[in-house]
């Protein structure tokens, strides 16, 4: 999908200095895209890592950055935000920032003072902590972005535009308000992650194994891999989730499916090796994870993370689900997406009411736009199944 220029202006603080508003939207056509969603694996690690001593706790706790400005902006609009329906269920918006500011991020391009959220994932944790569902929200999804506070202190105009414009225009608060407006789901927490933190977390678990149907040689992503099973280090993993030229058909659909495959493998890696039980391995992972996060103030501490995910390690991998929101091409621009209704609305309502979501094995040729159709007749679908995968599945891409 093609890029469009943004609409806001100003400098962009990266993770570590807050993520409240991020720049004027001027985007280079060849900017490489990425995602870094290790939050599920991190959750289990934090759960076991908080008992390693007060000094260690204090140091790791101090790594995290609380986005106070975004919290103040969300408080300003509290009355218009959705109401949480189910006590104990949690909805977390995971935001991948492509900022080039911050330690280690300048290697991926010049810092232009802008940052976008080319990947957003809405993570739903069931109230009984027996399942977790991660829903990818495409960056080019056309949405209503409300008036948001810009980095220069002014206010943007409400606009129908791509989802990734929300973070660029008004940072975390604007992204949260946009997703809440889109889904009618209350966002309890949010976390912003950068390039460097992702790489460091992958390296801290000694790499993540993936399976490739064909060899990969992508110069743009600096990625050269053989076919079959291969263990990716942090740099290779970053290239793997960003690559577009040599993997799949170059579409965001293919890339999101690959990102979900990698996240599933990361969850399995964190739970299968001895990282959780080995302090020598655990500390680098916790250090990398906490150093890379900018979150809402409530979540910006090891205690906050612990309270959020204390039951997460008991979720079977087959109940950790990954999927993409039902969408199709936008009729006025085929390089953009729009939601498929009523399927997307059904999914959002299931998440909001903490009703179990059923997924089927990911099929690149299948979309919810075609589900329930047989012989030209619409079949009843009281409990639709959505294309996706679980962390227990092991497939090649």
């Amino acid at each position: 999908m093609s890029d469009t220029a943004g609409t806001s202006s100003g400098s962009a603080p990266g993770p570590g200095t807050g993520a409240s508003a991020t720049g004027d939207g001027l985007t280079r056509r060849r900017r490489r895209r990425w995602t870094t969603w290790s939050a599920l694996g991190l959750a289990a690690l934090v759960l076991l890592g908080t008992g390693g001593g007060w000094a260690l706790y204090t140091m790791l706790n101090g790594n995290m950055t609380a986005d106070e400005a975004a919290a103040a902006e969300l408080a300003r609009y509290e009355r218009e935000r959705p109401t949480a329906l189910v006590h104990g269920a949690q909805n977390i918006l995971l935001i991948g920032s492509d900022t080039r500011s911050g330690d280690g991020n300048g290697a991926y391009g010049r810092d232009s003072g802008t940052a976008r959220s080319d990947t957003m994932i809405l993570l739903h944790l069931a109230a009984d902590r027996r399942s977790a569902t991660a829903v990818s929200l495409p960056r080019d999804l056309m949405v209503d972005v409300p008036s948001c506070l810009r980095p220069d202190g002014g206010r943007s105009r409400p606009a129908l535009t791509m989802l990734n414009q929300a973070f660029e225009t008004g940072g975390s608060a604007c992204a949260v308000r946009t997703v809440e407006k889109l889904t009618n789901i209350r966002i309890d927490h949010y976390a912003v992650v950068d390039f460097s933190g992702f790489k460091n977390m992958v390296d801290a678990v000694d790499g993540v194994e993936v399976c490739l149907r064909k060899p990969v040689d992508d110069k743009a992503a600096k990625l050269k891999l053989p076919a079959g099973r291969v263990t990716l280090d942090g740099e290779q993993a970053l290239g793997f989730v960003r690559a577009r030229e040599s993997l799949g058909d170059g579409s965001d659909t293919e890339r999101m499916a690959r990102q979900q495959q990698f996240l599933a493998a990361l969850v399995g890696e964190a739970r299968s090796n001895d990282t959780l039980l080995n302090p020598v391995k655990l500390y680098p992972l916790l250090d990398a994870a906490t150093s890379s996060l900018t979150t809402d103030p409530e979540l910006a501490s090891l205690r906050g993370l612990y309270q959020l995910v204390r039951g997460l390690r008991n979720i079977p991998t087959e109940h950790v689900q990954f999927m993409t929101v039902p969408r199709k091409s936008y009729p006025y621009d085929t390089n953009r997406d729009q939601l498929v209704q009523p399927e997307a609305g059904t999914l959002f309502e299931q998440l909001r009411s903490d009703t179990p979501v059923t997924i089927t094995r990911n099929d690149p040729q299948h979309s919810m736009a075609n589900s329930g159709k047989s012989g030209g007749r619409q079949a009843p679908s009281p409990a639709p199944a959505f294309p996706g995968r679980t962390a227990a599945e092991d497939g090649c891409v």
Side-chain angles (χ1 to χ4, degrees), residues 73 83 114 127 151 189 206 237 254 263 266 288 325 329 335 349 363:
E73 178 70 356
T83 301
T114 66
H189 299 290
D206 295 328
E254 288 274 357
L263 290 177
L266 179 58
V325 68
S329 293
N335 289 320
E349 182 56 33
D363 180 354

Side-chain angles (χ1 to χ4, degrees), residues 124-145:
H124 175 78
L125 304 180
D128 61 8
R129 295 301 189 268
R130 294 181 180 176
S131 67
T133 301
V135 181
S136 296
L137 302 174
R139 64 187 178 98
D140 290 338
L141 187 67
M142 296 300 292
V143 298
D144 290 314
V145 177

Side-chain angles (χ1 to χ4, degrees), residues 48-376:
L48 292 181
T50 54
W54 180 252
L56 179 60
Y57 176 92
T58 301
M59 182 166 56
L60 293 174
N61 195 61
N63 281 348
M64 299 180 68
T65 301
D67 195 344
E68 300 285 356
E73 178 70 356
L74 289 173
R76 174 189 175 102
Y77 291 95
E78 178 60 36
R79 290 187 178 181
E80 71 178 35
R81 299 181 63 194
T83 301
L85 295 185
V86 181
H87 179 72
Q90 294 285 316
N91 296 291
I92 304 100
L93 187 63
L94 306 176
I95 302 171
S97 169
D98 69 357
T99 180
R100 267 61 171 179
S101 67
D103 292 343
N105 294 319
Y108 302 98
R110 182 178 59 85
D111 180 11
S112 63
T114 66
R116 285 189 171 183
S117 54
D118 290 312
T119 299
M120 286 190 195
I121 292 182
L122 178 59
L123 174 63
H124 175 78
L125 304 180
D128 61 8
R129 295 301 189 268
R130 294 181 180 176
S131 67
T133 301
V135 181
S136 296
L137 302 174
R139 64 187 178 98
D140 290 338
L141 187 67
M142 296 300 292
V143 298
D144 290 314
V145 177
S147 173
C148 293
L149 180 65
R150 300 195 307 258
D152 62 4
R155 294 268 167 187
S156 66
R157 293 178 179 272
L160 174 64
T161 185
M162 296 186 301
L163 177 61
N164 67 355
Q165 291 284 340
F167 184 73
E168 182 179 6
T169 299
S172 303
C174 192
V176 167
R177 291 177 58 216
T178 299
V179 172
E180 287 185 337
K181 183 179 180 67
L182 177 73
T183 64
N184 198 31
I185 294 172
R186 173 78 177 207
I187 303 300
D188 301 292
H189 299 290
Y190 54 89
V192 183
V193 196
D194 67 10
F195 289 132
S196 184
F198 172 64
K199 291 195 310 176
N200 292 341
M201 283 186 278
V202 173
D203 285 336
V205 295
D206 295 328
V208 174
E209 183 184 85
V210 297
C211 182
L212 303 172
R213 289 196 180 101
K214 300 178 181 179
V216 175
D217 189 358
D218 192 317
K219 293 181 180 179
K222 299 179 181 179
L223 192 65
K224 188 170 185 178
L225 303 169
R229 297 192 176 278
V230 59
T231 298
L232 306 181
D233 62 22
E235 192 71 46
Q236 291 170 322
L238 185 59
F240 181 74
V241 298
R242 295 171 68 204
R244 299 187 68 174
E245 296 182 2
S246 60
L247 286 171
D249 59 10
S251 69
D252 274 354
T253 298
E254 288 274 357
R255 188 170 57 171
M256 283 186 291
R258 187 177 351 109
Q259 292 164 356
Q260 291 165 9
Q261 181 215 16
F262 181 84
L263 290 177
L266 179 58
V267 171
E269 184 70 29
R271 297 184 62 163
S272 65
N273 67 18
D274 63 351
T275 299
L276 301 180
L277 304 177
N278 186 335
V280 175
K281 290 185 177 182
L282 182 61
Y283 171 74
L285 182 53
L286 289 174
D287 187 40
T290 55
S291 296
S292 69
L293 294 176
T294 297
T295 74
D296 59 279
E298 186 179 349
L299 197 59
S301 68
L302 289 179
R303 179 179 178 83
L305 285 174
Y306 172 78
Q307 291 176 337
L308 174 68
V309 301
R310 59 189 172 187
L312 193 58
R313 65 176 175 179
N314 295 321
I315 300 177
T317 53
E318 60 268 24
H319 293 165
V320 178
Q321 304 181 142
F322 300 89
M323 61 175 296
T324 300
V325 68
R327 91 277 191 232
K328 61 183 179 182
S329 293
Y330 186 59
Y332 304 107
D333 186 344
T334 57
N335 289 320
R336 305 290 176 256
D337 289 330
Q338 69 178 21
L339 295 179
V340 171
Q341 298 293 5
E343 289 85 352
T346 298
L347 171 63
F348 296 149
E349 182 56 33
Q350 287 179 309
L351 297 176
R352 186 170 186 245
S353 61
D354 200 31
T355 302
V357 174
T358 302
I359 66 169
T360 60
R361 184 67 178 92
N362 236 337
D363 180 354
Q365 303 302 318
H366 176 75
S367 74
M368 287 303 296
N370 298 319
S371 66
K373 295 182 180 179
S374 177

Side-chain angles (χ1 to χ4, degrees), residues 385-396:
F386 300 91
R389 65 175 302 124
T390 74
E393 295 177 27
D394 181 21
C396 286

